[in-house]
DNA sequence: CCCTTATTGAAAAGATTTTTCAATAAGGGC
DNA sequence: GCCCTTATTGAAAAATCTTTTCAATAAGGG
């Protein structure tokens, strides 16, 4: 099943109605390979549903986040970008130029977390890990810019 | 040397003047053990310098960040908290209740980064790692609340 | 095909951050 | 110590971004 269909189904099961506005937001974000801001989702969503309002983008993101389908992605330049949630224990690697986002897993923070809990007395509950860099396409483009 | 003195000296060497507004911001943030928002810094700073303006807090933070002395700390509830920068390769462990922040080091992401670069074609430049939990004081307080 | 009520978009309100601007004061030069 | 230049200030205005309000609409269970 495509991610957008799954999201619509999950909204339905969460007791929410399927409206044109929500379908447009889902369609844009579920299949995106880049993190998107509310304004970008709004703009792209209007191509599918011209009457879409920015407010509905915000409200739909709120629900998708609540259902665990969407995550907010923070960056130095701003914290208002969204992306499909990682499944299981995954994090994202982000291109700083084109905003492409790629999931990865395989970090092993257990030993570190255990050690820090013992040393600091904190009970550690969650962690954020994000990697930043340049995707291969943007690397080529940057080299071209330098010429 | 205390951190606040070091910051003042660094501002000076960066070509900036030492003003009462800047001294107040530095005094508040350099010795803080908690992440602080601009509004909190403003409020606390006014106790040392009542004429302080919120605008100067923003402008001073901008300069301190530019000099690498201060970092912006992001959280789910908001991205507008500030804290002294980590020295060298350090990250922060944050209490979700009282905003206490503790530096740590010892994460070893090299193998992961190397593997991902090979697999994805990205050139990985930076990473963000943050741990969230409850400090021991807040753990006790939460247990009391539950009673 | 209703009928209830969740949802909508527009406009207003809020919150936060940035810009503008005349007044002030930092600190180098004397 | 005292000018003099000019960076810096705080207040107010403007710009952004997000949330709330509200009457109109439409989703979807019966």
């Amino acid at each position: 099943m495509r991610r957008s269909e799954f999201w619509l189904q999950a909204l339905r099961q969460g007791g929410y109605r399927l409206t044109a506005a929500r379908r447009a937001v889902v369609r844009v974000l579920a299949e995106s390979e880049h993190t998107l801001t509310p304004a970008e989702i709004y703009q792209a969503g209007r191509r599918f549903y011209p009457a879409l309002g920015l407010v509905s983008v915000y409200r739909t993101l709120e629900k998708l986040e609540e259902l665990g389908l969407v995550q907010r992605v923070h960056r130095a330049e701003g914290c208002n970008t969204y992306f499909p949630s990682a499944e299981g224990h995954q994090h994202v690697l982000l291109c700083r130029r084109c905003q492409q986002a790629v999931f990865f897993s395989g970090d092993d923070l257990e030993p570190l977390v255990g050690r820090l809990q013992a040393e600091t007395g904190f009970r550690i509950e969650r962690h954020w890990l994000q990697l930043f860099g340049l995707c291969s396409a943007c690397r080529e483009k940057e080299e071209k810019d330098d010429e």
Side-chain angles (χ1 to χ4, degrees), chain A:
Chain A
M1 193 192 306
R2 302 184 72 158
R3 182 146 49 200
S4 51
E5 289 163 40
F6 180 73
W7 285 12
L8 292 174
Q9 191 178 298
L11 280 168
R12 206 67 208 77
Q13 286 176 357
Y16 297 114
R17 293 182 182 174
L18 296 187
T19 65
R22 287 180 182 158
R23 285 175 199 279
V25 171
V26 165
R27 183 162 171 188
V28 169
L29 187 55
E31 314 300 341
S32 177
E33 301 200 339
H34 304 252
T35 60
L36 296 172
T37 63
E40 287 166 342
I41 296 169
Y42 170 65
Q43 224 181 337
R46 283 174 81 99
R47 289 204 294 269
F48 301 127
Y49 175 54
L52 179 65
L54 179 58
V55 197
S56 289
V57 174
Y58 278 100
R59 287 188 285 222
T60 303
L61 287 173
E62 191 179 286
K63 276 150 192 75
L64 292 171
E65 208 177 349
E66 168 201 316
L67 292 168
L69 301 168
V70 156
Q71 66 180 311
R72 190 172 187 160
V73 176
H74 302 248
R75 322 161 158 276
E77 318 83 66
C79 308
N80 59 342
T81 68
Y82 290 84
F83 197 67
S85 281
E87 285 156 32
H89 190 92
Q90 290 194 120
H91 300 284
V92 287
L93 163 57
L94 298 165
C95 177
R96 67 165 155 79
R97 195 170 185 277
C98 73
Q99 324 297 324
Q100 191 194 338
V102 174
F103 290 116
F104 69 85
S105 55
D107 61 304
D108 184 14
L109 297 173
E110 277 314 312
L112 176 65
V113 165
R115 196 196 88 208
L116 289 174
Q117 293 197 130
E119 283 178 15
T120 64
F122 270 64
R123 186 209 298 147
I124 297 174
E125 300 166 338
R126 310 173 40 225
H127 66 262
W128 273 7
L129 174 61
Q130 261 180 49
L131 304 182
F132 298 91
L134 263 191
C135 72
S136 53
C138 286
R139 227 165 63 198
E140 286 174 26
K141 285 180 199 148
E142 282 223 336
E143 277 160 21
K144 215 174 271 174
D145 288 350
D146 291 345
E147 280 164 22

